Amino acid sequence: MQDQKLRLIGEQTSPLFRIMWVTNPDDLTHRHFDNNISAFHVGKGYIISVAHNLRTENPLIKSISDGTWETDIFPKLNPAQKAVFNQCYVPDGKTGKRHIQVTNPAFIQTISETFRSIQFDTRWQTLAEKNISTPNLIIQFSNSKFYDDQKLADFFDDKKYFFEATLNRHTFLLKLKLVKAFYGSDLAVYRIDDTSSELIDKIPSLEIDFSIIGDQHDNLYCLQSSPAGFLGRLLNKAWMEGYLDHHQVFADRTGGNYILEGIRYLIKGYFRFGSSGAPYLMVDKQTGKISVNAVQSEASPIQLSINNNREGNYQYVNAIASPLRLIEQELKSLLQA
């Protein structure tokens, strides 16, 4: 069983990955990565993560197509805003886009506030729909082979594979398509898009256990990024502390607020900030079988009073997780198709 647990954090065997939104994926000069979130593979190219990041806003759009600029942005700007945008978004005749180039840091906030004032939708879900920024699965190795297979690595051209010298890692990009976001449950399902089954079958995955964990369960683990960075992985013990009938308003300035609701686990154990999307795993002591049961959704703070001041004084010792039971029928339909 120890070997199985170590496989969960191994570079070649872990089912834990990251999703990042990529702007200009085929333009290496102007390519940008944003909106990092944890995710995991459950087979057949289906990737599960949280949904709440989809309706957060990108504060600084890196590239804008000429069509969007001329119809949705520039006509809505006042003279001062036009001067800033003309200075900071430089036209590129080759790509038919304007790319961000900020020399004055003060303009960054101005640009972000301007997008809000003209009600331009910069939420990640909308940027993906408009093909401004698209989600990609990030898979990284110490060598240049895709899961130690050079034949599979040859499927990737120089736009989908690159070496990051500062990280000493070889990075492979797999484009994702959002299948469905379950905002109330804070769960999102993606599918690896336009990729051969030979590649997909090589990617480690987890079986799903749709049961509701009993509070006496003592073999629960969280698989997440290591404390020091997103490249490493950590498998740590977690403990059930209770259940929630959750209800929370999530702010969405553009599309309208929505409600996070339904059953949740209250979990105690180490979790790093930035662990949303990490899987909670059940280990069967008798068979050694490891399966995913829930997804790290959010932190659950305890209110503290320091020097008689409660404002902003929190301690985060608990996490809130979304059981996959919440979307059982939808997942079964996808995986059994």
Side-chain angles (χ1 to χ4, degrees):
M1 188 176 293
Q2 182 178 358
D3 289 342
Q4 288 178 279
K5 292 176 182 177
L6 291 176
R7 287 176 63 84
L8 291 169
I9 61 172
E11 177 185 271
Q12 298 288 331
T13 51
S14 178
L16 179 71
F17 303 99
R18 292 182 295 141
I19 295 173
M20 295 193 76
W21 261 244
V22 184
T23 304
N24 302 316
D26 296 331
D27 180 357
L28 305 187
T29 303
H30 301 105
R31 182 166 61 186
H32 295 275
F33 293 83
D34 298 284
N35 197 23
N36 178 74
I37 200 79
S38 295
F40 56 94
H41 184 213
V42 292
K44 295 188 175 181
Y46 287 101
I47 307 296
I48 296 178
S49 186
V50 290
H52 64 252
N53 68 311
L54 293 171
R55 288 170 71 168
T56 59
E57 298 177 31
N58 179 1
L60 189 68
I61 296 178
K62 307 303 192 302
S63 295
I64 303 170
S65 69
D66 287 339
T68 299
W69 174 271
E70 293 169 2
T71 60
D72 299 331
I73 296 177
F74 203 69
K76 300 179 181 180
L77 304 179
N78 62 39
Q81 292 168 337
K82 287 181 178 180
V84 172
F85 271 59
N86 271 328
Q87 181 177 337
C88 296
Y89 283 100
V90 180
D92 180 359
K94 293 182 179 179
T95 62
K97 295 182 179 181
R98 288 175 174 260
H99 303 294
I100 192 75
Q101 188 172 315
V102 179
T103 55
N104 184 347
F107 286 163
I108 294 176
Q109 183 175 354
T110 300
I111 292 169
S112 179
E113 291 174 349
T114 299
F115 278 127
R116 288 192 169 203
S117 70
I118 66 173
Q119 298 183 333
F120 186 80
D121 190 350
T122 64
R123 295 173 301 167
W124 294 105
Q125 64 167 22
T126 306
L127 298 182
E129 291 168 0
K130 293 183 176 181
N131 207 35
I132 295 174
S133 291
T134 54
N136 281 251
L137 193 68
I138 311 295
I139 304 181
Q140 294 170 304
F141 302 105
S142 299
N143 62 48
S144 60
K145 299 177 182 179
F146 189 80
Y147 287 103
D148 278 334
D149 190 327
Q150 184 57 50
K151 179 183 175 183
L152 295 181
D154 291 340
F155 279 99
F156 296 83
D157 59 23
D158 61 353
K159 298 180 180 65
K160 301 298 182 184
Y161 158 81
F162 53 95
F163 176 65
E164 295 187 73
T166 56
L167 301 176
N168 194 28
R169 288 296 184 272
H170 299 262
T171 298
F172 295 83
L173 303 180
L174 290 172
K175 186 177 180 180
L176 295 176
K177 180 179 181 180
L178 178 65
V179 176
K180 188 171 182 179
F182 303 87
Y183 290 108
S185 303
D186 196 22
L187 294 168
V189 180
Y190 300 81
R191 186 183 69 245
I192 299 174
D193 194 31
D194 194 25
T195 303
S196 73
S197 58
E198 188 178 0
L199 278 172
I200 292 172
D201 292 343
K202 197 74 172 181
I203 301 172
S205 62
L206 292 164
E207 291 186 33
I208 302 175
D209 185 313
F210 290 106
S211 65
I212 296 298
I213 299 175
D215 57 8
Q216 77 285 354
H217 198 284
D218 62 352
N219 246 12
L220 184 65
Y221 293 82
C222 183
L223 177 60
Q224 58 186 307
S225 298
S226 63
F230 290 107
L231 267 176
R233 298 175 181 87
L234 168 68
L235 180 71
N236 61 281
K237 287 278 289 182
W239 291 267
M240 281 286 298
E241 289 232 317
Y243 306 96
L244 296 79
D245 179 17
H246 198 40
H247 189 280
Q248 178 183 345
V249 177
F250 193 95
D252 182 343
R253 178 186 61 85
T254 305
N257 298 347
Y258 65 95
I259 305 296
L260 293 165
E261 58 187 338
I263 190 170
R264 300 287 197 276
Y265 299 146
L266 183 67
I267 293 179
K268 187 173 184 178
Y270 175 81
F271 64 93
R272 59 165 291 171
F273 283 101
S275 63
S276 292
Y280 282 97
L281 310 177
M282 295 173 58
V283 179
D284 189 304
K285 291 182 179 179
Q286 293 184 334
T287 65
K289 179 182 177 181
I290 297 174
S291 53
V292 58
N293 181 272
V295 181
Q296 167 70 17
S297 175
E298 57 186 296
S300 181
I302 294 175
Q303 177 72 69
L304 302 177
S305 177
I306 300 176
N307 293 329
N308 296 317
N309 179 21
R310 298 181 65 188
E311 185 68 27
N313 290 320
Y314 300 102
Q315 181 178 3
Y316 295 89
V317 297
N318 288 97
I320 295 176
S322 298
L324 290 172
R325 166 75 74 85
L326 291 167
I327 57 171
E328 178 178 2
Q329 297 307 314
E330 292 87 348
L331 278 177
K332 284 183 174 178
S333 296
L334 292 172
L335 294 172
Q336 294 172 2

